[in-house]
Amino acid sequence: MPLISRILQKEIVIITGGPGTGKTTIIDGLIERGHTCFPEISREITLEAKKQGIEQLFLEKPLLFSELLLEGRKKQFHTATNQTANTVFIDRGIPDILAYMHYIGDSYPSFFDQACKEHNYSKIFVLPPWEEIYVSDEARYENYEQAKLIFDHLKETYQTFGYNLIEVPKGTVDERIDFILNQL
């Protein structure tokens, strides 16, 4: 079957939102329910940079970090199109990269925009800021106020590329997962 036919039959669903909104927990819950999911890859990139002596690659070399992230997310997209499952969930999409670059006020080459246009997702679920569950850690340097600003940039960036965002209401993990599954 040609690649384009597989892509058209495949639902590639993004779970996005600012830092600390429960994305990873939802992805983990979807996996527990037997769904095909791809995790967020920025932590892998950050940890690899730390091994090389760069404490926070996104802050020290944001364009390099973003280029590595772009390659990883493009790879995830293409791998997702080849999965046997009809629906694949991915923790963050390519437009997230641009949203973060907008947030820090950095410019980037046009191939970032082009990648957003060439890799289309079926649905975008966005998780709003939720102070009660927000936790900072070694890979999440943002405070809650910054997380809210990032959320705004995420919404704006996805909408710029023509996506209709589906906001996931606050609730238990199971309620949030049920909401997502009921929207497919």
Side-chain angles (χ1 to χ4, degrees), residues 15-30 40 43 91-92 125-135 140 168-174 176-177 180:
I15 309 289
T16 192
T21 55
K23 294 176 301 300
T24 301
T25 303
I26 287 173
I27 290 289
D28 290 344
L30 286 163
E40 163 62 274
R43 285 179 184 263
D91 187 342
R92 294 198 182 280
F125 289 95
V126 61
L127 283 64
W130 189 356
E131 193 166 16
E132 291 77 20
I133 67 168
Y134 183 84
V135 176
R140 182 181 299 132
V168 179
K170 297 173 184 175
T172 67
V173 175
D174 284 332
R176 296 177 106 190
I177 290 171
I180 291 168

PDB file of all heavy atoms in Angstrom, residues 15-30 40 43 91-92 125-135 140 168-174 176-177 180:
ATOM      1  N   ILE A  15      -1.314  14.746  21.767  1.00  0.00           N
ATOM      2  CA  ILE A  15      -1.681  15.204  23.107  1.00  0.00           C
ATOM      3  C   ILE A  15      -0.660  16.287  23.438  1.00  0.00           C
ATOM      4  O   ILE A  15       0.543  16.016  23.507  1.00  0.00           O
ATOM      5  CB  ILE A  15      -1.579  14.067  24.162  1.00  0.00           C
ATOM      6  CG1 ILE A  15      -2.330  12.810  23.719  1.00  0.00           C
ATOM      7  CG2 ILE A  15      -2.018  14.569  25.529  1.00  0.00           C
ATOM      8  CD1 ILE A  15      -3.819  12.899  23.728  1.00  0.00           C
ATOM      9  N   THR A  16      -1.119  17.517  23.596  1.00  0.00           N
ATOM     10  CA  THR A  16      -0.205  18.617  23.870  1.00  0.00           C
ATOM     11  C   THR A  16      -0.737  19.475  25.007  1.00  0.00           C
ATOM     12  O   THR A  16      -1.844  19.271  25.496  1.00  0.00           O
ATOM     13  CB  THR A  16       0.056  19.459  22.588  1.00  0.00           C
ATOM     14  OG1 THR A  16       1.156  20.346  22.840  1.00  0.00           O
ATOM     15  CG2 THR A  16      -1.170  20.229  22.157  1.00  0.00           C
ATOM     16  N   GLY A  17       0.048  20.438  25.387  1.00  0.00           N
ATOM     17  CA  GLY A  17      -0.301  21.353  26.471  1.00  0.00           C
ATOM     18  C   GLY A  17       0.987  21.864  27.078  1.00  0.00           C
ATOM     19  O   GLY A  17       2.076  21.369  26.772  1.00  0.00           O
ATOM     20  N   GLY A  18       0.851  22.842  27.926  1.00  0.00           N
ATOM     21  CA  GLY A  18       2.028  23.384  28.590  1.00  0.00           C
ATOM     22  C   GLY A  18       2.667  22.348  29.496  1.00  0.00           C
ATOM     23  O   GLY A  18       2.129  21.248  29.686  1.00  0.00           O
ATOM     24  N   PRO A  19       3.807  22.684  30.064  1.00  0.00           N
ATOM     25  CA  PRO A  19       4.478  21.759  30.969  1.00  0.00           C
ATOM     26  C   PRO A  19       3.605  21.454  32.192  1.00  0.00           C
ATOM     27  O   PRO A  19       2.883  22.319  32.685  1.00  0.00           O
ATOM     28  CB  PRO A  19       5.736  22.516  31.412  1.00  0.00           C
ATOM     29  CG  PRO A  19       5.840  23.699  30.537  1.00  0.00           C
ATOM     30  CD  PRO A  19       4.517  23.943  29.906  1.00  0.00           C
ATOM     31  N   GLY A  20       3.670  20.208  32.641  1.00  0.00           N
ATOM     32  CA  GLY A  20       3.010  19.829  33.882  1.00  0.00           C
ATOM     33  C   GLY A  20       1.497  19.753  33.832  1.00  0.00           C
ATOM     34  O   GLY A  20       0.832  19.949  34.848  1.00  0.00           O
ATOM     35  N   THR A  21       0.931  19.461  32.661  1.00  0.00           N
ATOM     36  CA  THR A  21      -0.531  19.415  32.536  1.00  0.00           C
ATOM     37  C   THR A  21      -1.092  18.001  32.530  1.00  0.00           C
ATOM     38  O   THR A  21      -2.301  17.821  32.438  1.00  0.00           O
ATOM     39  CB  THR A  21      -0.988  20.154  31.260  1.00  0.00           C
ATOM     40  OG1 THR A  21      -0.317  19.592  30.129  1.00  0.00           O
ATOM     41  CG2 THR A  21      -0.696  21.645  31.348  1.00  0.00           C
ATOM     42  N   GLY A  22      -0.214  16.997  32.592  1.00  0.00           N
ATOM     43  CA  GLY A  22      -0.676  15.614  32.659  1.00  0.00           C
ATOM     44  C   GLY A  22      -0.540  14.823  31.375  1.00  0.00           C
ATOM     45  O   GLY A  22      -1.085  13.728  31.272  1.00  0.00           O
ATOM     46  N   LYS A  23       0.194  15.346  30.395  1.00  0.00           N
ATOM     47  CA  LYS A  23       0.332  14.661  29.105  1.00  0.00           C
ATOM     48  C   LYS A  23       0.929  13.264  29.254  1.00  0.00           C
ATOM     49  O   LYS A  23       0.389  12.295  28.730  1.00  0.00           O
ATOM     50  CB  LYS A  23       1.204  15.489  28.152  1.00  0.00           C
ATOM     51  CG  LYS A  23       0.603  16.806  27.735  1.00  0.00           C
ATOM     52  CD  LYS A  23       1.536  17.606  26.873  1.00  0.00           C
ATOM     53  CE  LYS A  23       2.856  17.929  27.506  1.00  0.00           C
ATOM     54  NZ  LYS A  23       2.822  18.712  28.739  1.00  0.00           N
ATOM     55  N   THR A  24       2.043  13.173  29.946  1.00  0.00           N
ATOM     56  CA  THR A  24       2.719  11.884  30.100  1.00  0.00           C
ATOM     57  C   THR A  24       1.844  10.891  30.847  1.00  0.00           C
ATOM     58  O   THR A  24       1.778   9.711  30.485  1.00  0.00           O
ATOM     59  CB  THR A  24       4.073  12.074  30.822  1.00  0.00           C
ATOM     60  OG1 THR A  24       4.870  12.974  30.041  1.00  0.00           O
ATOM     61  CG2 THR A  24       4.807  10.756  30.999  1.00  0.00           C
ATOM     62  N   THR A  25       1.137  11.359  31.861  1.00  0.00           N
ATOM     63  CA  THR A  25       0.239  10.491  32.622  1.00  0.00           C
ATOM     64  C   THR A  25      -0.871   9.951  31.729  1.00  0.00           C
ATOM     65  O   THR A  25      -1.234   8.770  31.808  1.00  0.00           O
ATOM     66  CB  THR A  25      -0.348  11.254  33.827  1.00  0.00           C
ATOM     67  OG1 THR A  25       0.731  11.746  34.625  1.00  0.00           O
ATOM     68  CG2 THR A  25      -1.241  10.367  34.666  1.00  0.00           C
ATOM     69  N   ILE A  26      -1.400  10.801  30.860  1.00  0.00           N
ATOM     70  CA  ILE A  26      -2.450  10.359  29.933  1.00  0.00           C
ATOM     71  C   ILE A  26      -1.884   9.365  28.927  1.00  0.00           C
ATOM     72  O   ILE A  26      -2.504   8.332  28.655  1.00  0.00           O
ATOM     73  CB  ILE A  26      -3.115  11.569  29.248  1.00  0.00           C
ATOM     74  CG1 ILE A  26      -4.007  12.289  30.266  1.00  0.00           C
ATOM     75  CG2 ILE A  26      -3.926  11.142  28.020  1.00  0.00           C
ATOM     76  CD1 ILE A  26      -4.600  13.585  29.784  1.00  0.00           C
ATOM     77  N   ILE A  27      -0.708   9.651  28.375  1.00  0.00           N
ATOM     78  CA  ILE A  27      -0.074   8.715  27.441  1.00  0.00           C
ATOM     79  C   ILE A  27       0.144   7.367  28.128  1.00  0.00           C
ATOM     80  O   ILE A  27      -0.156   6.312  27.558  1.00  0.00           O
ATOM     81  CB  ILE A  27       1.252   9.292  26.883  1.00  0.00           C
ATOM     82  CG1 ILE A  27       0.978  10.470  25.931  1.00  0.00           C
ATOM     83  CG2 ILE A  27       2.090   8.211  26.209  1.00  0.00           C
ATOM     84  CD1 ILE A  27       0.354  10.099  24.591  1.00  0.00           C
ATOM     85  N   ASP A  28       0.652   7.395  29.356  1.00  0.00           N
ATOM     86  CA  ASP A  28       0.860   6.144  30.103  1.00  0.00           C
ATOM     87  C   ASP A  28      -0.457   5.398  30.300  1.00  0.00           C
ATOM     88  O   ASP A  28      -0.516   4.172  30.175  1.00  0.00           O
ATOM     89  CB  ASP A  28       1.517   6.423  31.452  1.00  0.00           C
ATOM     90  CG  ASP A  28       2.971   6.881  31.324  1.00  0.00           C
ATOM     91  OD1 ASP A  28       3.571   6.706  30.231  1.00  0.00           O
ATOM     92  OD2 ASP A  28       3.504   7.418  32.319  1.00  0.00           O
ATOM     93  N   GLY A  29      -1.529   6.133  30.583  1.00  0.00           N
ATOM     94  CA  GLY A  29      -2.847   5.512  30.750  1.00  0.00           C
ATOM     95  C   GLY A  29      -3.374   4.913  29.455  1.00  0.00           C
ATOM     96  O   GLY A  29      -4.002   3.846  29.470  1.00  0.00           O
ATOM     97  N   LEU A  30      -3.134   5.591  28.350  1.00  0.00           N
ATOM     98  CA  LEU A  30      -3.540   5.051  27.047  1.00  0.00           C
ATOM     99  C   LEU A  30      -2.777   3.766  26.734  1.00  0.00           C
ATOM    100  O   LEU A  30      -3.342   2.808  26.218  1.00  0.00           O
ATOM    101  CB  LEU A  30      -3.325   6.097  25.948  1.00  0.00           C
ATOM    102  CG  LEU A  30      -4.323   7.254  25.924  1.00  0.00           C
ATOM    103  CD1 LEU A  30      -3.788   8.416  25.092  1.00  0.00           C
ATOM    104  CD2 LEU A  30      -5.676   6.793  25.402  1.00  0.00           C
ATOM    105  N   GLU A  40       6.975  11.661  24.789  1.00  0.00           N
ATOM    106  CA  GLU A  40       7.685  12.917  24.573  1.00  0.00           C
ATOM    107  C   GLU A  40       9.176  12.593  24.479  1.00  0.00           C
ATOM    108  O   GLU A  40       9.685  11.792  25.258  1.00  0.00           O
ATOM    109  CB  GLU A  40       7.397  13.850  25.747  1.00  0.00           C
ATOM    110  CG  GLU A  40       8.328  15.023  25.903  1.00  0.00           C
ATOM    111  CD  GLU A  40       8.326  15.975  24.741  1.00  0.00           C
ATOM    112  OE1 GLU A  40       9.082  15.712  23.774  1.00  0.00           O
ATOM    113  OE2 GLU A  40       7.601  16.963  24.774  1.00  0.00           O
ATOM    114  N   ARG A  43      12.890  14.980  26.802  1.00  0.00           N
ATOM    115  CA  ARG A  43      13.672  14.571  27.972  1.00  0.00           C
ATOM    116  C   ARG A  43      14.882  13.740  27.553  1.00  0.00           C
ATOM    117  O   ARG A  43      15.962  13.875  28.130  1.00  0.00           O
ATOM    118  CB  ARG A  43      12.807  13.792  28.962  1.00  0.00           C
ATOM    119  CG  ARG A  43      11.863  14.685  29.738  1.00  0.00           C
ATOM    120  CD  ARG A  43      10.986  13.891  30.701  1.00  0.00           C
ATOM    121  NE  ARG A  43      10.035  14.757  31.362  1.00  0.00           N
ATOM    122  CZ  ARG A  43      10.221  15.270  32.568  1.00  0.00           C
ATOM    123  NH1 ARG A  43      11.303  14.993  33.241  1.00  0.00           N
ATOM    124  NH2 ARG A  43       9.314  16.057  33.097  1.00  0.00           N
ATOM    125  N   ASP A  91       2.844  12.162  22.226  1.00  0.00           N
ATOM    126  CA  ASP A  91       3.022  13.206  23.238  1.00  0.00           C
ATOM    127  C   ASP A  91       3.808  14.346  22.594  1.00  0.00           C
ATOM    128  O   ASP A  91       5.016  14.255  22.437  1.00  0.00           O
ATOM    129  CB  ASP A  91       3.774  12.617  24.434  1.00  0.00           C
ATOM    130  CG  ASP A  91       3.864  13.563  25.623  1.00  0.00           C
ATOM    131  OD1 ASP A  91       3.664  14.780  25.449  1.00  0.00           O
ATOM    132  OD2 ASP A  91       4.147  13.074  26.727  1.00  0.00           O
ATOM    133  N   ARG A  92       3.105  15.372  22.180  1.00  0.00           N
ATOM    134  CA  ARG A  92       3.598  16.582  21.512  1.00  0.00           C
ATOM    135  C   ARG A  92       3.876  16.352  20.031  1.00  0.00           C
ATOM    136  O   ARG A  92       4.347  15.307  19.634  1.00  0.00           O
ATOM    137  CB  ARG A  92       4.848  17.154  22.182  1.00  0.00           C
ATOM    138  CG  ARG A  92       4.616  17.690  23.583  1.00  0.00           C
ATOM    139  CD  ARG A  92       5.758  18.600  23.985  1.00  0.00           C
ATOM    140  NE  ARG A  92       5.610  19.108  25.320  1.00  0.00           N
ATOM    141  CZ  ARG A  92       4.838  20.129  25.667  1.00  0.00           C
ATOM    142  NH1 ARG A  92       4.127  20.758  24.757  1.00  0.00           N
ATOM    143  NH2 ARG A  92       4.777  20.546  26.911  1.00  0.00           N
ATOM    144  N   PHE A 125      -5.394  17.277  20.848  1.00  0.00           N
ATOM    145  CA  PHE A 125      -5.984  17.454  22.175  1.00  0.00           C
ATOM    146  C   PHE A 125      -5.020  18.292  22.998  1.00  0.00           C
ATOM    147  O   PHE A 125      -3.833  17.977  23.086  1.00  0.00           O
ATOM    148  CB  PHE A 125      -6.216  16.101  22.853  1.00  0.00           C
ATOM    149  CG  PHE A 125      -7.333  15.322  22.213  1.00  0.00           C
ATOM    150  CD1 PHE A 125      -7.062  14.374  21.244  1.00  0.00           C
ATOM    151  CD2 PHE A 125      -8.651  15.550  22.582  1.00  0.00           C
ATOM    152  CE1 PHE A 125      -8.084  13.650  20.639  1.00  0.00           C
ATOM    153  CE2 PHE A 125      -9.678  14.845  21.976  1.00  0.00           C
ATOM    154  CZ  PHE A 125      -9.401  13.891  21.006  1.00  0.00           C
ATOM    155  N   VAL A 126      -5.533  19.357  23.566  1.00  0.00           N
ATOM    156  CA  VAL A 126      -4.689  20.263  24.334  1.00  0.00           C
ATOM    157  C   VAL A 126      -5.134  20.251  25.799  1.00  0.00           C
ATOM    158  O   VAL A 126      -6.330  20.308  26.098  1.00  0.00           O
ATOM    159  CB  VAL A 126      -4.705  21.685  23.727  1.00  0.00           C
ATOM    160  CG1 VAL A 126      -6.085  22.294  23.725  1.00  0.00           C
ATOM    161  CG2 VAL A 126      -3.709  22.585  24.407  1.00  0.00           C
ATOM    162  N   LEU A 127      -4.154  20.120  26.687  1.00  0.00           N
ATOM    163  CA  LEU A 127      -4.420  20.102  28.119  1.00  0.00           C
ATOM    164  C   LEU A 127      -4.118  21.481  28.688  1.00  0.00           C
ATOM    165  O   LEU A 127      -3.006  21.992  28.516  1.00  0.00           O
ATOM    166  CB  LEU A 127      -3.564  19.041  28.814  1.00  0.00           C
ATOM    167  CG  LEU A 127      -4.030  17.596  28.651  1.00  0.00           C
ATOM    168  CD1 LEU A 127      -3.979  17.111  27.227  1.00  0.00           C
ATOM    169  CD2 LEU A 127      -3.242  16.679  29.547  1.00  0.00           C
ATOM    170  N   PRO A 128      -5.093  22.099  29.352  1.00  0.00           N
ATOM    171  CA  PRO A 128      -4.900  23.452  29.872  1.00  0.00           C
ATOM    172  C   PRO A 128      -4.018  23.450  31.123  1.00  0.00           C
ATOM    173  O   PRO A 128      -3.857  22.408  31.778  1.00  0.00           O
ATOM    174  CB  PRO A 128      -6.327  23.896  30.213  1.00  0.00           C
ATOM    175  CG  PRO A 128      -7.029  22.620  30.555  1.00  0.00           C
ATOM    176  CD  PRO A 128      -6.432  21.581  29.635  1.00  0.00           C
ATOM    177  N   PRO A 129      -3.449  24.603  31.463  1.00  0.00           N
ATOM    178  CA  PRO A 129      -2.674  24.703  32.696  1.00  0.00           C
ATOM    179  C   PRO A 129      -3.530  24.284  33.902  1.00  0.00           C
ATOM    180  O   PRO A 129      -4.725  24.569  33.948  1.00  0.00           O
ATOM    181  CB  PRO A 129      -2.319  26.182  32.782  1.00  0.00           C
ATOM    182  CG  PRO A 129      -2.440  26.689  31.385  1.00  0.00           C
ATOM    183  CD  PRO A 129      -3.525  25.868  30.746  1.00  0.00           C
ATOM    184  N   TRP A 130      -2.889  23.614  34.839  1.00  0.00           N
ATOM    185  CA  TRP A 130      -3.606  23.097  36.006  1.00  0.00           C
ATOM    186  C   TRP A 130      -2.642  23.169  37.189  1.00  0.00           C
ATOM    187  O   TRP A 130      -1.819  22.283  37.389  1.00  0.00           O
ATOM    188  CB  TRP A 130      -4.054  21.671  35.727  1.00  0.00           C
ATOM    189  CG  TRP A 130      -4.981  21.065  36.720  1.00  0.00           C
ATOM    190  CD1 TRP A 130      -5.427  21.607  37.896  1.00  0.00           C
ATOM    191  CD2 TRP A 130      -5.580  19.770  36.625  1.00  0.00           C
ATOM    192  NE1 TRP A 130      -6.265  20.729  38.530  1.00  0.00           N
ATOM    193  CE2 TRP A 130      -6.373  19.598  37.766  1.00  0.00           C
ATOM    194  CE3 TRP A 130      -5.505  18.746  35.684  1.00  0.00           C
ATOM    195  CZ2 TRP A 130      -7.094  18.436  38.003  1.00  0.00           C
ATOM    196  CZ3 TRP A 130      -6.223  17.594  35.914  1.00  0.00           C
ATOM    197  CH2 TRP A 130      -7.010  17.443  37.052  1.00  0.00           C
ATOM    198  N   GLU A 131      -2.768  24.249  37.940  1.00  0.00           N
ATOM    199  CA  GLU A 131      -1.807  24.537  39.013  1.00  0.00           C
ATOM    200  C   GLU A 131      -1.746  23.433  40.063  1.00  0.00           C
ATOM    201  O   GLU A 131      -0.675  23.129  40.597  1.00  0.00           O
ATOM    202  CB  GLU A 131      -2.142  25.878  39.674  1.00  0.00           C
ATOM    203  CG  GLU A 131      -1.046  26.387  40.562  1.00  0.00           C
ATOM    204  CD  GLU A 131      -1.214  27.846  40.937  1.00  0.00           C
ATOM    205  OE1 GLU A 131      -2.321  28.395  40.769  1.00  0.00           O
ATOM    206  OE2 GLU A 131      -0.218  28.429  41.391  1.00  0.00           O
ATOM    207  N   GLU A 132      -2.873  22.794  40.352  1.00  0.00           N
ATOM    208  CA  GLU A 132      -2.920  21.785  41.414  1.00  0.00           C
ATOM    209  C   GLU A 132      -2.065  20.550  41.096  1.00  0.00           C
ATOM    210  O   GLU A 132      -1.639  19.847  42.013  1.00  0.00           O
ATOM    211  CB  GLU A 132      -4.363  21.347  41.690  1.00  0.00           C
ATOM    212  CG  GLU A 132      -5.219  22.425  42.334  1.00  0.00           C
ATOM    213  CD  GLU A 132      -5.685  23.506  41.359  1.00  0.00           C
ATOM    214  OE1 GLU A 132      -5.677  23.261  40.135  1.00  0.00           O
ATOM    215  OE2 GLU A 132      -6.042  24.598  41.826  1.00  0.00           O
ATOM    216  N   ILE A 133      -1.825  20.262  39.829  1.00  0.00           N
ATOM    217  CA  ILE A 133      -1.013  19.086  39.496  1.00  0.00           C
ATOM    218  C   ILE A 133       0.372  19.471  38.972  1.00  0.00           C
ATOM    219  O   ILE A 133       1.186  18.597  38.699  1.00  0.00           O
ATOM    220  CB  ILE A 133      -1.724  18.155  38.469  1.00  0.00           C
ATOM    221  CG1 ILE A 133      -1.856  18.826  37.098  1.00  0.00           C
ATOM    222  CG2 ILE A 133      -3.067  17.683  39.007  1.00  0.00           C
ATOM    223  CD1 ILE A 133      -2.274  17.879  35.976  1.00  0.00           C
ATOM    224  N   TYR A 134       0.639  20.774  38.850  1.00  0.00           N
ATOM    225  CA  TYR A 134       1.919  21.212  38.287  1.00  0.00           C
ATOM    226  C   TYR A 134       3.066  20.895  39.245  1.00  0.00           C
ATOM    227  O   TYR A 134       3.008  21.223  40.420  1.00  0.00           O
ATOM    228  CB  TYR A 134       1.908  22.715  37.985  1.00  0.00           C
ATOM    229  CG  TYR A 134       3.199  23.143  37.329  1.00  0.00           C
ATOM    230  CD1 TYR A 134       3.372  23.010  35.970  1.00  0.00           C
ATOM    231  CD2 TYR A 134       4.255  23.610  38.092  1.00  0.00           C
ATOM    232  CE1 TYR A 134       4.563  23.353  35.364  1.00  0.00           C
ATOM    233  CE2 TYR A 134       5.457  23.950  37.496  1.00  0.00           C
ATOM    234  CZ  TYR A 134       5.598  23.814  36.136  1.00  0.00           C
ATOM    235  OH  TYR A 134       6.790  24.140  35.541  1.00  0.00           O
ATOM    236  N   VAL A 135       4.105  20.243  38.693  1.00  0.00           N
ATOM    237  CA  VAL A 135       5.299  19.927  39.466  1.00  0.00           C
ATOM    238  C   VAL A 135       6.512  20.255  38.610  1.00  0.00           C
ATOM    239  O   VAL A 135       6.566  19.872  37.439  1.00  0.00           O
ATOM    240  CB  VAL A 135       5.338  18.424  39.853  1.00  0.00           C
ATOM    241  CG1 VAL A 135       6.635  18.085  40.580  1.00  0.00           C
ATOM    242  CG2 VAL A 135       4.141  18.050  40.698  1.00  0.00           C
ATOM    243  N   ARG A 140      12.127  20.002  33.779  1.00  0.00           N
ATOM    244  CA  ARG A 140      11.089  21.024  33.586  1.00  0.00           C
ATOM    245  C   ARG A 140      11.489  22.250  34.407  1.00  0.00           C
ATOM    246  O   ARG A 140      11.260  22.315  35.602  1.00  0.00           O
ATOM    247  CB  ARG A 140       9.739  20.481  34.055  1.00  0.00           C
ATOM    248  CG  ARG A 140       8.598  21.463  33.841  1.00  0.00           C
ATOM    249  CD  ARG A 140       7.262  20.934  34.336  1.00  0.00           C
ATOM    250  NE  ARG A 140       6.908  19.718  33.628  1.00  0.00           N
ATOM    251  CZ  ARG A 140       6.481  18.607  34.228  1.00  0.00           C
ATOM    252  NH1 ARG A 140       6.365  18.545  35.526  1.00  0.00           N
ATOM    253  NH2 ARG A 140       6.176  17.546  33.502  1.00  0.00           N
ATOM    254  N   VAL A 168      -9.021  19.332  26.648  1.00  0.00           N
ATOM    255  CA  VAL A 168      -9.363  18.224  27.542  1.00  0.00           C
ATOM    256  C   VAL A 168      -9.679  18.808  28.917  1.00  0.00           C
ATOM    257  O   VAL A 168      -8.837  19.490  29.509  1.00  0.00           O
ATOM    258  CB  VAL A 168      -8.195  17.215  27.637  1.00  0.00           C
ATOM    259  CG1 VAL A 168      -8.538  16.082  28.594  1.00  0.00           C
ATOM    260  CG2 VAL A 168      -7.839  16.677  26.255  1.00  0.00           C
ATOM    261  N   PRO A 169     -10.893  18.549  29.425  1.00  0.00           N
ATOM    262  CA  PRO A 169     -11.243  19.101  30.737  1.00  0.00           C
ATOM    263  C   PRO A 169     -10.418  18.476  31.863  1.00  0.00           C
ATOM    264  O   PRO A 169      -9.936  17.342  31.749  1.00  0.00           O
ATOM    265  CB  PRO A 169     -12.726  18.766  30.895  1.00  0.00           C
ATOM    266  CG  PRO A 169     -13.080  17.836  29.809  1.00  0.00           C
ATOM    267  CD  PRO A 169     -11.968  17.791  28.820  1.00  0.00           C
ATOM    268  N   LYS A 170     -10.272  19.228  32.931  1.00  0.00           N
ATOM    269  CA  LYS A 170      -9.606  18.712  34.127  1.00  0.00           C
ATOM    270  C   LYS A 170     -10.475  17.612  34.714  1.00  0.00           C
ATOM    271  O   LYS A 170     -11.695  17.639  34.598  1.00  0.00           O
ATOM    272  CB  LYS A 170      -9.398  19.836  35.139  1.00  0.00           C
ATOM    273  CG  LYS A 170      -8.483  20.930  34.622  1.00  0.00           C
ATOM    274  CD  LYS A 170      -8.419  22.101  35.570  1.00  0.00           C
ATOM    275  CE  LYS A 170      -7.570  23.219  34.974  1.00  0.00           C
ATOM    276  NZ  LYS A 170      -7.582  24.422  35.816  1.00  0.00           N
ATOM    277  N   GLY A 171      -9.831  16.637  35.323  1.00  0.00           N
ATOM    278  CA  GLY A 171     -10.533  15.518  35.926  1.00  0.00           C
ATOM    279  C   GLY A 171      -9.547  14.414  36.249  1.00  0.00           C
ATOM    280  O   GLY A 171      -8.333  14.596  36.127  1.00  0.00           O
ATOM    281  N   THR A 172     -10.064  13.260  36.617  1.00  0.00           N
ATOM    282  CA  THR A 172      -9.182  12.128  36.886  1.00  0.00           C
ATOM    283  C   THR A 172      -8.522  11.702  35.577  1.00  0.00           C
ATOM    284  O   THR A 172      -8.987  12.063  34.489  1.00  0.00           O
ATOM    285  CB  THR A 172      -9.961  10.934  37.472  1.00  0.00           C
ATOM    286  OG1 THR A 172     -10.847  10.427  36.457  1.00  0.00           O
ATOM    287  CG2 THR A 172     -10.739  11.314  38.728  1.00  0.00           C
ATOM    288  N   VAL A 173      -7.479  10.924  35.688  1.00  0.00           N
ATOM    289  CA  VAL A 173      -6.793  10.429  34.493  1.00  0.00           C
ATOM    290  C   VAL A 173      -7.774   9.651  33.626  1.00  0.00           C
ATOM    291  O   VAL A 173      -7.849   9.855  32.408  1.00  0.00           O
ATOM    292  CB  VAL A 173      -5.580   9.548  34.883  1.00  0.00           C
ATOM    293  CG1 VAL A 173      -4.947   8.924  33.642  1.00  0.00           C
ATOM    294  CG2 VAL A 173      -4.558  10.362  35.643  1.00  0.00           C
ATOM    295  N   ASP A 174      -8.563   8.760  34.250  1.00  0.00           N
ATOM    296  CA  ASP A 174      -9.525   7.974  33.479  1.00  0.00           C
ATOM    297  C   ASP A 174     -10.575   8.850  32.808  1.00  0.00           C
ATOM    298  O   ASP A 174     -10.959   8.593  31.662  1.00  0.00           O
ATOM    299  CB  ASP A 174     -10.202   6.919  34.365  1.00  0.00           C
ATOM    300  CG  ASP A 174      -9.286   5.741  34.645  1.00  0.00           C
ATOM    301  OD1 ASP A 174      -8.398   5.450  33.811  1.00  0.00           O
ATOM    302  OD2 ASP A 174      -9.448   5.098  35.703  1.00  0.00           O
ATOM    303  N   ARG A 176     -10.183  11.922  31.797  1.00  0.00           N
ATOM    304  CA  ARG A 176      -9.534  12.626  30.695  1.00  0.00           C
ATOM    305  C   ARG A 176      -9.306  11.690  29.506  1.00  0.00           C
ATOM    306  O   ARG A 176      -9.516  12.069  28.360  1.00  0.00           O
ATOM    307  CB  ARG A 176      -8.218  13.256  31.167  1.00  0.00           C
ATOM    308  CG  ARG A 176      -8.459  14.341  32.233  1.00  0.00           C
ATOM    309  CD  ARG A 176      -7.178  14.915  32.758  1.00  0.00           C
ATOM    310  NE  ARG A 176      -7.020  16.246  32.180  1.00  0.00           N
ATOM    311  CZ  ARG A 176      -5.920  16.969  32.263  1.00  0.00           C
ATOM    312  NH1 ARG A 176      -4.846  16.493  32.851  1.00  0.00           N
ATOM    313  NH2 ARG A 176      -5.869  18.170  31.728  1.00  0.00           N
ATOM    314  N   ILE A 177      -8.879  10.469  29.789  1.00  0.00           N
ATOM    315  CA  ILE A 177      -8.664   9.493  28.716  1.00  0.00           C
ATOM    316  C   ILE A 177      -9.996   9.158  28.049  1.00  0.00           C
ATOM    317  O   ILE A 177     -10.082   9.111  26.814  1.00  0.00           O
ATOM    318  CB  ILE A 177      -7.976   8.224  29.262  1.00  0.00           C
ATOM    319  CG1 ILE A 177      -6.530   8.547  29.643  1.00  0.00           C
ATOM    320  CG2 ILE A 177      -8.032   7.088  28.231  1.00  0.00           C
ATOM    321  CD1 ILE A 177      -5.806   7.433  30.388  1.00  0.00           C
ATOM    322  N   ILE A 180     -10.966  11.892  25.681  1.00  0.00           N
ATOM    323  CA  ILE A 180     -10.200  11.831  24.430  1.00  0.00           C
ATOM    324  C   ILE A 180     -10.721  10.729  23.518  1.00  0.00           C
ATOM    325  O   ILE A 180     -10.981  10.958  22.336  1.00  0.00           O
ATOM    326  CB  ILE A 180      -8.689  11.632  24.747  1.00  0.00           C
ATOM    327  CG1 ILE A 180      -8.129  12.906  25.387  1.00  0.00           C
ATOM    328  CG2 ILE A 180      -7.906  11.251  23.484  1.00  0.00           C
ATOM    329  CD1 ILE A 180      -6.748  12.744  26.011  1.00  0.00           C
TER     330      ILE A 180
END
